Amino acid sequence: MNYFDYAATTPVDRESLHVYQTVSEEFWGNPSSLHDIGGKAKQLLTKCRERLADMLEVPAKGLYFTSGGTEGNHLALVTLALSRQGKGKHIIIGGAEHSSLHSSADFLTQWGFTVTKIPLTSQGMIDMDILEQSISEETTVVSIGHVNGEIGTIQPLHAIKNLLVSRNIFLHSDMIQAFGKIDIREFTSVVDCFTLSSHKIYGPKGVGALYINPALDVSPMIPGQTHEDGFRGGTVNLPGIAGFVSAASICRDTIETLHYTRLRTHFLSQLEERIPGSFTIYEGPEHAQLPHVIGLGIHGLEGQWLMLECNRRGIGISTGSACGAGSMPNTMKSMGVSHRAGKEFIRISFGRDTDVDHVNSLVVALSDIHGKHVTSLT
């Protein structure tokens, strides 16, 4: 299959998989156990934490390994909000955030919190005017994702932080779609808390990381837990963590955008040549657009039907976040796109192995499906 859904998940890198297997065989002890076998595992866990923290240029003390992005986002938003509820019970999230943050926000409303969701502009950027107007004396936490997972827009974290710093408001960012694709080190010190995931960067599934600035006065969401310095329960997935850190190291050393920019340019030019004026691209300004992800709608074709037709031709695309499959994408809702246009949405996302021939096959399939649809209407 020609795969164009790398924003949903990636295949495991061969080196990462080798590390996973080696650690499973040689470091199988529980890092919390006090005997030598557990101590050996604990030493490796500490090295993994320090190595990832060094890549991110953050203190290792604030880095916690999780079961993935969803758990990391739950822990981040709920931990920060509950820790600051003495100051206020108002939190702000982006309207196009991952479903895990929407569900976390909904959970907090049961504890008396109010939630404001900030829409995106027509270019997929967080509406800074509405964000500023929404901040009140009760606001304690703002959560804005770094890179939108459905159309690839890059949000201005520096500008957002400038709105919050004098108001003593925590800033969390879901950096899952940014990590491994752009250098996030200039942003890790800007935010108070961020979330990462392994399987988006060619690492194993079921593992991720959460960073909370250790200088912050916060308490674990559920007290009395015995792992990850009390921030989560359950024996840590040491093979997955080691594989994750290995994949992160590879990504750090191979970050480049030219390959993806060329693929994006080629895809859009070829699509325009074959079905001119028959599609809409949802993207941000050039300086704020990740080239790896293309969000578009082909006029008159429902996205889910188009996805299935592509699948029949051996091509894998998506209709947005895999965690929100079956519904109109949060990004389209947040941008104010009409329901009809939102149902036409599809997402194309490129990976390391995508080449021009793959892109050409995708363009041919999309234009063929579109052409047959137009013919059926005449």
Side-chain angles (χ1 to χ4, degrees):
M1 171 173 278
N2 286 339
Y3 186 71
F4 294 95
D5 201 15
Y6 288 90
T9 196
T10 58
V12 181
D13 181 90
R14 183 168 302 191
E15 182 175 332
S16 175
L17 190 60
H18 174 70
V19 168
Y20 182 98
Q21 181 176 353
T22 300
V23 173
S24 296
E25 294 171 347
E26 299 180 12
F27 295 82
W28 48 267
N30 188 326
S32 295
S33 298
L34 300 180
H35 46 61
D36 287 350
I37 293 176
K40 181 181 177 182
K42 184 176 181 178
Q43 287 181 345
L44 178 60
L45 178 62
T46 298
K47 288 180 180 179
C48 287
R49 195 184 317 277
E50 291 174 346
R51 186 179 176 193
L52 183 59
D54 182 63
M55 288 184 230
L56 299 167
E57 297 186 354
V58 298
K61 186 178 180 182
L63 199 59
Y64 308 98
F65 290 110
T66 67
S67 65
T70 291
E71 184 196 11
N73 281 337
H74 288 327
L75 288 174
L77 194 63
V78 177
T79 295
L80 295 180
L82 292 180
S83 294
R84 296 298 303 280
Q85 61 184 321
K87 174 183 181 291
K89 285 194 167 186
H90 176 233
I91 61 175
I92 296 173
I93 70 172
E97 297 305 309
H98 187 268
S99 58
S100 58
L101 284 160
H102 285 275
S103 60
S104 296
D106 290 343
F107 169 78
L108 286 167
T109 63
Q110 301 175 34
W111 291 82
F113 286 81
T114 57
V115 179
T116 301
K117 297 181 180 181
I118 308 301
L120 300 183
T121 67
S122 61
Q123 288 190 301
M125 304 300 293
I126 202 76
D127 192 314
M128 294 295 290
D129 291 334
I130 294 179
L131 173 59
E132 185 169 15
Q133 294 163 13
S134 299
I135 297 171
S136 72
E137 293 297 319
E138 291 287 308
T139 308
T140 57
V141 184
V142 171
S143 179
I144 305 293
H146 192 183
V147 169
N148 179 278
E150 292 173 330
I151 65 172
T153 46
I154 304 171
Q155 304 303 328
L157 294 184
H158 287 284
I160 293 169
K161 182 63 175 181
N162 288 339
L163 291 179
L164 310 179
V165 66
S166 63
R167 296 178 167 97
N168 193 26
I169 297 171
F170 290 156
L171 175 60
H172 164 257
S173 185
D174 177 342
M175 291 186 168
I176 290 168
Q177 292 290 353
F179 187 44
K181 301 175 183 69
I182 59 177
D183 189 345
I184 66 171
R185 288 178 297 176
E186 68 169 290
F187 304 100
T188 55
S189 61
V190 172
V191 300
D192 300 293
C193 175
F194 61 84
T195 315
L196 305 176
S197 179
S198 167
H199 75 100
K200 306 290 189 180
I201 61 165
Y202 303 86
K205 291 178 175 61
V207 63
L210 165 68
Y211 173 78
I212 301 178
N213 188 333
L216 302 182
D217 183 18
V218 298
S219 302
M221 182 175 76
I222 300 175
Q225 299 186 102
T226 57
H227 295 276
E228 289 302 278
D229 201 24
F231 265 88
R232 69 182 299 266
T235 303
V236 296
N237 176 8
L238 186 56
I241 290 168
F244 171 34
V245 174
S246 173
S249 179
I250 295 168
C251 282
R252 177 197 60 180
D253 295 337
T254 57
I255 286 179
E256 59 90 16
T257 58
L258 183 59
H259 167 67
Y260 300 99
T261 300
R262 287 173 174 167
L263 291 176
R264 181 187 188 90
T265 301
H266 182 72
F267 171 77
L268 294 177
S269 64
Q270 290 298 303
L271 198 63
E272 179 61 32
E273 183 176 313
R274 285 180 171 268
I275 54 171
S278 298
F279 60 93
T280 298
I281 297 294
Y282 301 99
E283 61 184 350
E286 186 176 352
H287 73 277
Q289 178 64 53
L290 190 75
H292 307 55
V293 180
I294 300 175
L296 74 151
I298 297 181
H299 305 159
L301 301 183
E302 187 170 324
Q304 290 216 16
W305 178 80
L306 182 55
M307 176 186 68
L308 292 173
E309 286 297 304
C310 282
N311 189 63
R312 287 179 57 239
R313 291 165 168 79
I315 294 173
I317 65 172
S318 77
T319 55
S321 169
C323 295
S327 59
M328 181 173 168
N330 284 334
T331 302
M332 297 294 97
K333 295 177 185 176
S334 190
M335 289 174 65
V337 172
S338 71
H339 182 75
R340 179 176 179 178
K343 295 292 282 185
E344 294 173 348
F345 181 82
I346 60 171
R347 179 183 68 184
I348 310 298
S349 48
F350 304 133
R352 292 176 186 168
D353 297 328
T354 311
D355 60 29
V356 170
D357 289 338
H358 295 141
V359 171
N360 287 338
S361 69
L362 173 61
V363 172
V364 169
L366 293 176
S367 60
D368 180 57
I369 295 168
H370 174 265
K372 289 181 178 178
H373 175 72
V374 171
T375 300
S376 71
L377 297 177
T378 59

